[in-house]
Amino acid sequence: MAHRAARLIDENHSTESSVVYGLEGPWGSGKSSVIAMITTYLTEFENSRWQVVPFTPWATSGTEGLLSEFFAALATVIPEPGSKKDLRGLISSYADIARPLAALIPVAGAAVVEATRALETRLAKPWNVAFDEIAAELRTLGVPVLVVVDDIDRLQPRELLDLLKVVRLLGRFPGVDFLLAYDEQTLIETLQNPGQASVSKARARAFMEKIVQYPLSIPPLLTGQIVRMLNAGLTEIVTPERVETGFDKHRFGDIILSTMPSQLATPRAIERFLAQVREQFRVHDLSEMNDVDLILAVFLKVQFPDVFAGLQSWKVELTRSTPSFVSFAQREDKQPEWDRLVGVLDRDEDRRDALAVLAALFPAVRGPNPLRAGAGRFAHPDYFDRYLAQAIPEGDIPDAVVTRAIEKAAAGESTDLRALVSAEDDAQVTLVLSKLRARYPDIREVPHHEGPTGPVTLELLTAGMTLVDEAEDRLDSWTSTGLQLTRWTAILLRRLLDADPASDVDRALTACSNVHRRAHVISTAMREVHGLKEETQRALCESLQREARRLLPFLLADLRQGDQSTGESGSSFLYGLVAESPALAELQAQIATGLATQEFTLEDVAARFVGLAYVIGGSGRPSSASFAGDLFTKITGVEARSGERRDMGEWPDSSWPRRKELAAQFVTPGVPIATPGKANAVESPDR
């Protein structure tokens, strides 16, 4: 295109006229690049004498400043100042005449002649005489001149009108051509400025047609060209290794094929976006971020800054997720009003494109019942603020720190991991635990897992069980350290035995000396074993059976202590684990013997089957109690019924006598069952 334009300018040039060319295209479409190429082509033509003069009207202000800049630029084409007539002096003289004239000449209308006559009565030389003198000198030079005026759409309305006066009336010397570059839509809007209220769009366009004889339009980029440019630019930024191993091409594909071409329609817009992506990839530790999310976050910020700025107040909605086990009746049937989030945008197509990017970033925007986003994703609540701050914000824990601590613990050195989990800042501990669990999906989740993973070793399980043993026991919190560590170590146990069913996990499990907590890890690992390999299920059952055998002397010792026993060491949860194992018969026999020899009473046994419930976020004291009558009957052979008391309020007294009082309501000691049935699978209540 530039070559054809240069050829047109060269062929149309005449020493007897002045031609104005208009190079039209949106901002960023490459007008300046085309001008540079036109300049190169003009000066490379055979026997070319072209002089290309850049004139930047927006670098000055006011009519006088603009005219001075124009004539100074024109004077640069004169080969030497000492010609037979001082052309530079003529130009300077003409500038002195033209400046006051420009103030009187309207842009359009019949008043030009009257304004000229009024001015000439005050000047020593009529302006048209000075004009003819300069034109004659320019002809003798034989130098074709092209005055290039770029970005005239940047001018304010008054400045634009002054420029058009110069081009149309005062500067059209024969042999001097003009190339004006502008965005037509912006230029027309400027001419329609409120200060020019009487100018319609049609009249403004007609006026430009009188000035520009040859309009040249830069063709728009086609979608395929935009995609190729984006693909080439992103390929330079994102290494091929990262693209092949961790880049979600499916999620990114729709955006780069449709949404980005809609928004990045010019070379400048594309390069501006790529420059921002390049900078973000340079400053971030990419192991801490998701490549696709980082690119899309940059795109959202560059193209829709007001939407990006509003994301913080929508964090809860954008990062929400629905557990996969929620029943159909409980699933969501209503979406947040996402139109409110993108309502700050004026154009329908912008709102549509912004929603498309949000849907690619946040599963919650795509539809109801979103699954939890993987670690490192913008949609993950632990990582959301990173993408907003475009850095790891204060209070966050770099993934690399957690990763190093895990790797060291997996090799047998757990000091760093213990320090992270036992920090004084509860929020940081919660964040560490979340990152810890995010690296260890359960066996059945592994094929669908997104995000980083961690090593699985006996040493790491040992470290995990030690942390479970040391954790603060907060039964009134969903996010207690002990509960999260229990779930993590249970997953480690499942994955170890899945990889090697013969693995000696007992050594690692007994690193937790707290019997109840150790049993809780094993029982958690035993949940939902269907679907696992038979060898894995068998190995888990064997771990449970070994733990049940260890529990027998512990439970009997607790019963013998009677009311002097401390804590909940003899809870129905532990009895339930034994009831699910071959050790049940031995437990039944030993309890029967203990009752017969009066080592303990039936009331002592019944009290151990009272479970206490705690309100999440409550005071930490029990709020209600229940009695596991069916389990009690299975183990003792004494008839009882299960029951619950939810109307009790808080229990300031959870002593054994208080529990005996509750259990007595559900036990019928006079009706023994002759032969307790063989142990059936009973769902063990958590504490």
Side-chain angles (χ1 to χ4, degrees):
M1 176 192 173
H3 187 270
R4 290 197 304 270
R7 180 66 64 185
L8 175 68
I9 293 170
D10 185 60
E11 292 175 350
N12 281 348
H13 180 72
S14 170
T15 58
E16 302 302 322
S17 64
S18 174
V19 181
V20 179
Y21 302 87
L23 183 62
E24 189 275 324
W27 286 348
S29 60
K31 295 188 294 294
S32 298
S33 298
V34 171
I35 287 172
M37 286 185 281
I38 289 174
T39 300
T40 300
Y41 287 130
L42 280 176
T43 56
E44 288 180 350
F45 286 149
E46 187 177 358
N47 301 321
S48 174
R49 297 187 63 194
W50 275 98
Q51 292 287 327
V52 180
V53 181
F55 172 35
T56 52
W58 44 268
T60 185
S61 61
T63 303
E64 292 195 10
L66 186 144
L67 285 166
S68 297
E69 179 73 17
F70 169 72
F71 290 121
L74 185 61
T76 62
V77 306
I78 302 171
E80 296 180 7
S83 56
K84 58 183 177 180
K85 280 195 176 182
D86 189 353
L87 182 54
R88 292 178 187 268
L90 288 175
I91 292 175
S92 177
S93 174
Y94 181 70
D96 292 337
I97 298 172
R99 274 193 290 269
L101 177 63
L104 296 176
I105 299 178
V107 175
V112 175
V113 177
E114 288 75 7
T116 302
R117 290 172 181 168
L119 178 67
E120 288 175 354
T121 61
R122 309 202 317 261
L123 295 175
K125 182 189 296 185
W127 76 276
N128 56 329
V129 173
F131 181 92
D132 291 340
E133 290 177 353
I134 296 173
E137 285 299 310
L138 286 173
R139 290 190 188 94
T140 62
L141 289 177
V143 176
V145 178
L146 179 68
V147 178
V148 175
V149 192
D150 198 0
D151 293 325
I152 69 172
D153 46 22
R154 292 190 192 182
L155 298 172
Q156 296 298 316
R158 186 69 257 168
E159 297 168 337
L160 176 60
L161 296 178
D162 288 341
L163 172 67
L164 296 179
K165 291 177 186 178
V166 171
V167 173
R168 188 177 182 210
L169 298 170
L170 304 177
R172 297 283 293 279
F173 298 102
V176 177
D177 297 332
F178 288 82
L179 176 61
L180 310 181
Y182 52 87
D183 171 27
E184 183 180 41
Q185 180 178 348
T186 303
L187 193 71
I188 296 302
E189 290 173 355
T190 302
L191 290 172
Q192 289 184 282
N193 183 269
Q196 307 292 322
S198 61
V199 179
S200 66
K201 181 178 292 187
R203 186 176 178 187
R205 183 170 283 111
F207 175 65
M208 285 302 300
E209 290 174 355
K210 291 181 180 179
I211 295 177
V212 176
Q213 285 87 56
Y214 287 90
L216 308 170
S217 295
I218 294 182
L221 287 176
L222 302 178
T223 298
Q225 294 172 314
I226 296 172
V227 172
R228 282 197 297 274
M229 293 174 70
L230 288 170
N231 183 64
L234 292 173
T235 301
E236 292 179 0
I237 299 169
V238 187
T239 63
E241 293 79 11
R242 294 184 68 86
V243 171
E244 292 302 321
T245 57
F247 200 86
D248 189 345
K249 299 176 184 176
H250 175 74
R251 190 159 56 92
F252 188 66
D254 290 341
I255 300 299
I256 195 173
L257 291 175
S258 58
T259 307
M260 285 185 175
S262 170
Q263 292 292 324
L264 305 175
T266 66
R268 182 185 297 168
I270 294 172
E271 184 49 44
R272 176 170 171 257
F273 164 64
L274 291 174
Q276 292 290 318
V277 174
R278 193 176 297 111
E279 176 64 14
Q280 289 300 306
F281 269 68
R282 186 184 68 81
V283 301
H284 282 296
D285 179 351
L286 297 179
S287 65
E288 305 279 340
M289 313 289 279
N290 178 280
D291 289 354
V292 171
D293 283 15
L294 187 55
I295 294 171
L296 294 182
V298 171
F299 179 68
L300 193 66
K301 185 174 183 180
V302 169
Q303 294 303 122
F304 312 110
D306 292 337
V307 174
F308 187 86
L311 295 181
Q312 182 65 60
S313 59
W314 287 75
K315 179 177 180 178
V316 173
E317 293 86 348
L318 291 169
T319 61
R320 81 190 197 286
S321 60
T322 303
S324 58
F325 55 80
V326 172
S327 67
F328 181 80
Q330 293 175 298
R331 291 184 175 271
E332 299 176 342
D333 57 1
K334 187 177 181 181
Q335 278 272 78
E337 297 179 8
W338 301 118
D339 287 343
R340 289 173 46 217
L341 177 55
V342 299
V344 292
L345 303 175
D346 295 329
R347 302 193 312 157
D348 289 342
E349 50 266 44
D350 287 343
R351 290 191 289 271
R352 176 203 64 203
D353 290 344
L355 278 174
V357 178
L358 291 172
L361 284 167
F362 303 103
V365 179
R366 289 201 294 270
N369 309 304
L371 295 177
R372 187 176 181 84
R377 289 283 307 278
F378 201 163
H380 194 293
D382 293 344
Y383 296 85
F384 182 88
D385 291 343
R386 289 186 179 185
Y387 290 89
L388 288 189
Q390 297 189 333
I392 297 179
E394 184 179 355
D396 198 347
I397 302 290
D399 288 11
V401 172
V402 178
T403 298
R404 284 194 297 270
I406 292 173
E407 290 173 346
K408 291 176 68 175
E413 175 51 61
S414 60
T415 304
D416 290 352
L417 185 59
R418 180 181 286 107
L420 288 173
V421 173
S422 59
E424 293 184 2
D425 189 332
D426 289 342
Q428 285 200 345
V429 171
T430 299
L431 183 59
V432 168
L433 291 171
S434 177
K435 291 177 182 292
L436 197 65
R437 291 196 58 207
R439 282 160 174 71
Y440 291 90
D442 198 10
I443 302 167
R444 289 173 296 182
E445 298 172 338
V446 170
H448 314 290
H449 178 64
E450 293 182 4
T453 57
V456 180
T457 66
L458 281 170
E459 289 78 10
L460 186 59
L461 179 60
T462 301
M465 293 303 294
T466 303
L467 293 173
V468 169
D469 199 30
E470 298 171 350
E472 180 185 358
D473 196 4
R474 292 184 58 196
L475 299 176
D476 60 332
S477 172
W478 285 117
T479 59
S480 69
T481 301
L483 182 60
Q484 295 195 65
L485 286 171
T486 295
R487 292 172 178 168
W488 175 57
T489 49
I491 289 172
L492 283 177
L493 176 59
R494 286 164 68 98
R495 292 184 60 176
L496 273 169
L497 292 177
D498 188 67
D500 180 11
S503 182
D504 181 18
V505 295
D506 256 20
R507 177 174 56 85
L509 291 173
T510 53
C512 177
S513 61
N514 185 300
V515 174
H516 190 286
R517 295 184 181 189
R518 185 174 67 238
H520 195 29
V521 170
I522 299 172
S523 69
T524 302
M526 285 294 299
R527 294 174 183 168
E528 300 181 1
V529 294
H530 57 279
L532 302 185
K533 294 184 297 188
E534 290 185 9
E535 296 87 345
T536 306
Q537 295 186 46
R538 189 160 47 248
L540 285 168
C541 287
E542 290 171 357
S543 292
L544 179 64
Q545 291 168 13
R546 288 192 294 269
E547 186 64 29
R549 286 193 293 271
R550 282 192 291 264
L551 284 175
L552 286 178
F554 178 80
L555 294 175
L556 291 167
D558 169 71
L559 285 172
R560 293 185 183 106
Q561 292 178 35
D563 291 350
Q564 303 307 310
S565 177
T566 59
E568 296 188 29
S569 55
S571 73
S572 60
F573 164 64
L574 298 181
Y575 284 95
L577 286 185
V578 177
E580 295 175 353
S581 76
L584 173 59
E586 185 178 351
L587 177 62
Q588 291 170 329
Q590 293 199 30
I591 286 180
T593 300
L595 290 172
T597 59
Q598 298 185 349
E599 292 181 81
F600 43 80
T601 66
L602 189 63
E603 289 79 7
D604 288 325
V605 178
R608 270 61 180 175
F609 290 81
V610 173
L612 304 178
Y614 298 82
V615 174
I616 302 300
S619 64
R621 292 191 293 270
S623 60
S624 63
S626 60
F627 180 71
D630 294 338
L631 182 60
F632 173 81
T633 298
K634 178 181 291 188
I635 291 174
T636 64
V638 176
E639 183 176 355
R641 59 188 175 85
S642 297
E644 228 176 336
R645 289 290 302 276
R646 293 187 176 278
D647 57 346
M648 308 180 75
E650 287 190 350
W651 269 34
D653 175 16
S654 57
S655 64
W656 293 117
R658 181 76 173 88
R659 300 186 197 199
K660 290 177 182 178
E661 179 185 339
L662 175 68
Q665 304 173 47
F666 303 102
V667 178
T668 311
V671 187
I673 298 177
T675 305
K678 189 176 181 180
N680 295 317
V682 177
E683 183 178 355
S684 301
D686 293 340
R687 287 171 62 190

